[in-house]
């Protein structure tokens, strides 16, 4: 196998002024498209080194909504005290039940996986909360399926969200009857910990939502949503904020020229897990193409924001005209009564 040097500088340069001239992605031959790619042993080592280097800082994870521990959670709550109140939500997993990922024990003979990518599907349960209903975990380096199971909710389900979760009442009942469902989020967490310890790199898309329904903290994270949005953010001035986040479906389409989440049967956790893996591997293998995508996306985002401001200004002017017309109507009505 050819040697992969991910630190080698590329000779081709990118002109930022050309980044937004077209909305189409480069030809497939230039994108090094890989779906469910197989990494040979040598490349596994190199990919893992790059993956480890891309683990997000605790500060960034906290800013993105990750629970990193009780103290961090408290500070986040205090920062959000002045936010608009939302309907009362009763957490399925109380804060006291959140645990850190176990450490590797000195006398432990079975080694955990170095990197695991996962995805969870949730359903709506009583208490205005979402609960884990399906868990998929795949070895990031080997693409081996580790877990691909239904998870029986511990609370009464009020909405299955089948359009998005891909789970129905019938599916869950059948899985439970056939012994193919894990018994609640706690068993799902324990089964995942059979493969994961505190040194494992966890990969996901908006992974903070998955960890919340699994009830544990983890510090070594590579989130494909953060990874791609940061590629765009680094191009912006220091005082300019980026509110846009790119969904997995769009990233898979734009970076890999592949389609996921098609059809009317809802999401597939396994498909989303493998798509997340493909996106992260693509970003590691193609740093220059990631820059091209980021520059194009930055231009498109600026165009979108400007269009939004224009529409808001038009709405404001229209509302002002209506207000003036109403005031004029009332004035004329008052004059008519004199």
């Amino acid at each position: 196998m050819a040697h992969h040097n991910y630190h080698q500088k590329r000779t081709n340069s990118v002109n930022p002024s050309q980044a937004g001239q077209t909305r189409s992605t480069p030809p497939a031959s230039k994108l090094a498209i890989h779906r469910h790619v197989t990494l040979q042993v040598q490349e596994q080592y190199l990919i893992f080194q790059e993956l480890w280097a891309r683990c997000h800082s605790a500060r960034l994870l906290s800013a993105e909504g990750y629970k990193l521990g009780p103290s961090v959670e408290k500070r986040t709550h205090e920062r959000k005290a002045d936010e608009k109140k939302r309907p009362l939500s009763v957490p399925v997993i109380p804060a006291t039940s959140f645990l850190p990922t176990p450490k590797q024990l000195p006398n432990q003979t079975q080694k955990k996986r170095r990197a695991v990518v996962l995805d969870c599907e949730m359903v709506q349960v009583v208490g205005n909360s979402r609960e884990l209903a399906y868990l998929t975990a795949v070895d990031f380096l080997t693409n081996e399926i580790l877990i691909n199971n239904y998870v029986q909710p511990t609370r009464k389900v009020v909405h299955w969200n089948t359009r998005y979760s891909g789970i129905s009442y019938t599916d869950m009942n059948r899985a439970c009857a056939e012994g193919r469902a894990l018994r609640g989020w706690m068993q799902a967490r324990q089964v995942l910990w059979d493969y994961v310890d505190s040194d494992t790199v966890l990969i996901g898309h908006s992974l903070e939502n998955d960890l919340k329904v699994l009830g544990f903290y983890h510090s070594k994270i590579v989130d494909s949503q953060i990874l791609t949005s940061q590629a765009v953010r680094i191009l912006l001035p220091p005082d300019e904020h980026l509110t846009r986040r790119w969904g997995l479906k769009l990233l898979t389409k734009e970076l890999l020229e592949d389609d996921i989440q098609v059809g009317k049967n809802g999401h597939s956790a396994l498909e989303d897990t493998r798509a997340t893996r493909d996106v992260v591997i693509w970003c590691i293998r193609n740093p220059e193409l990631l820059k091209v995508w980021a520059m194009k996306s930055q231009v498109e985002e600026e165009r979108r924001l400007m269009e939004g401001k224009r529409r808001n200004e038009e709405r404001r002017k229209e509302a002002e005209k209506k207000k003036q017309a109403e005031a004029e109507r009332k004035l004329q009505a008052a004059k008519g009564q004199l």
Side-chain angles (χ1 to χ4, degrees):
M1 175 184 173
H3 178 68
H4 295 267
N5 185 354
Y6 292 100
H7 296 284
Q8 183 178 358
K9 292 184 178 179
R10 309 295 178 91
T11 56
N12 56 314
S13 59
V14 178
N15 185 351
S17 64
Q18 299 174 350
Q21 291 182 359
T22 175
R23 294 181 63 88
S24 61
T25 52
S29 59
K30 294 183 180 181
L31 282 174
I33 297 174
H34 294 283
R35 188 178 187 189
H36 313 336
V37 62
T38 299
L39 301 176
Q40 301 301 321
V41 175
Q42 183 182 14
E43 191 179 10
Q44 285 182 23
Y45 172 79
L46 295 169
I47 287 284
F48 180 73
Q49 294 300 111
E50 292 295 317
L51 185 72
W52 184 273
R54 284 165 173 76
C55 287
H56 310 302
S57 67
R59 181 177 180 180
L60 179 56
L61 290 174
S62 180
E64 292 291 335
Y66 278 82
K67 292 177 179 289
L68 301 179
S71 59
V72 175
E73 182 180 0
K74 182 178 179 181
R75 288 198 298 271
T76 302
H77 175 73
E78 291 171 352
R79 286 199 304 270
K80 294 184 177 181
D82 58 344
E83 287 187 355
K84 184 178 179 181
K85 290 185 178 180
R86 299 175 181 175
L88 182 63
S89 175
V90 181
V92 172
I93 307 176
T96 53
S97 295
F98 272 79
L99 298 174
T101 316
K103 295 181 179 180
Q104 179 85 18
L105 299 176
N107 58 348
Q108 191 170 329
T109 56
Q110 182 182 0
K111 287 189 175 182
K112 307 293 184 175
R113 304 301 174 112
R114 288 183 292 170
V116 171
V117 54
L118 61 90
D119 182 67
C120 296
E121 299 296 344
M122 300 86 157
V123 293
Q124 197 76 19
V125 297
V126 294
N128 193 36
S129 296
R130 295 191 304 167
E131 186 170 354
L132 177 65
Y134 203 99
L135 171 64
T136 297
V138 170
D139 187 303
F140 180 80
L141 299 175
T142 67
N143 201 27
E144 176 190 356
I145 299 174
L146 307 175
I147 306 169
N148 193 37
N149 288 88
Y150 287 91
V151 180
Q152 185 178 16
T154 61
R155 287 188 185 177
K156 181 181 178 181
V157 177
V158 296
H159 201 301
W160 290 92
N161 296 328
T162 305
R163 178 183 174 187
Y164 301 103
S165 70
I167 302 169
S168 68
Y169 172 81
T170 303
D171 294 334
M172 182 64 73
N173 271 5
R174 183 183 299 116
C176 291
E178 296 174 356
R180 295 184 290 109
L182 299 172
R183 300 296 179 179
W185 62 267
M186 193 172 292
Q187 185 184 13
R189 180 177 68 181
Q190 191 57 53
V191 171
L192 180 62
W193 282 352
D194 288 342
Y195 302 99
V196 169
D197 63 24
S198 59
D199 288 329
T200 303
V201 178
L202 289 184
I203 303 98
H205 190 84
S206 298
L207 188 59
E208 76 279 6
N209 297 315
D210 302 308
L211 297 185
K212 286 174 183 176
V213 297
L214 283 163
F216 71 96
Y217 312 116
H218 196 80
S219 60
K220 293 179 176 62
I221 300 288
V222 174
D223 189 320
S224 54
Q225 188 173 73
I226 299 176
L227 189 66
T228 49
S229 64
Q230 286 296 106
V232 179
R233 173 67 186 86
I234 200 171
L235 302 174
L236 302 178
D239 59 342
E240 188 172 338
H241 296 286
L242 178 67
T243 57
R244 172 78 184 274
R245 295 294 181 269
W246 283 260
L248 182 60
K249 182 180 177 70
L250 182 60
L251 289 175
T252 304
K253 182 66 175 179
E254 293 193 349
L255 301 183
L256 309 177
E257 288 194 340
D258 196 6
D259 291 307
I260 62 169
Q261 300 173 0
V262 296
K264 300 179 180 180
N265 296 324
H267 294 189
S268 162
L270 181 58
E271 180 183 55
D272 288 354
T273 300
R274 283 179 158 163
T276 300
R277 176 180 181 267
D278 292 341
V279 166
V280 173
I281 290 176
W282 186 93
C283 291
I284 292 175
R285 280 179 162 179
N286 303 282
E288 294 301 323
L289 289 177
L290 179 60
K291 290 180 183 178
V292 173
W293 173 84
M295 286 186 283
K296 177 179 73 71
S297 298
Q298 178 202 6
V299 172
E300 292 177 353
E301 180 64 7
E302 289 177 350
R303 187 183 299 129
R304 186 184 70 85
L305 291 175
M306 290 179 62
E307 180 63 21
K309 289 180 180 179
R310 184 189 64 79
R311 288 196 299 266
N312 289 338
E313 181 64 18
E314 289 178 352
R315 293 191 192 101
R316 187 192 66 78
K317 290 181 178 179
E318 185 65 25
E320 187 65 27
K321 285 182 181 179
K322 289 182 179 180
K323 185 177 179 180
Q324 291 177 356
E326 179 64 17
E328 182 66 23
R329 186 189 65 79
K330 290 181 178 180
L331 179 62
Q332 294 299 327
K335 288 181 178 179
Q337 293 176 357
L338 295 178

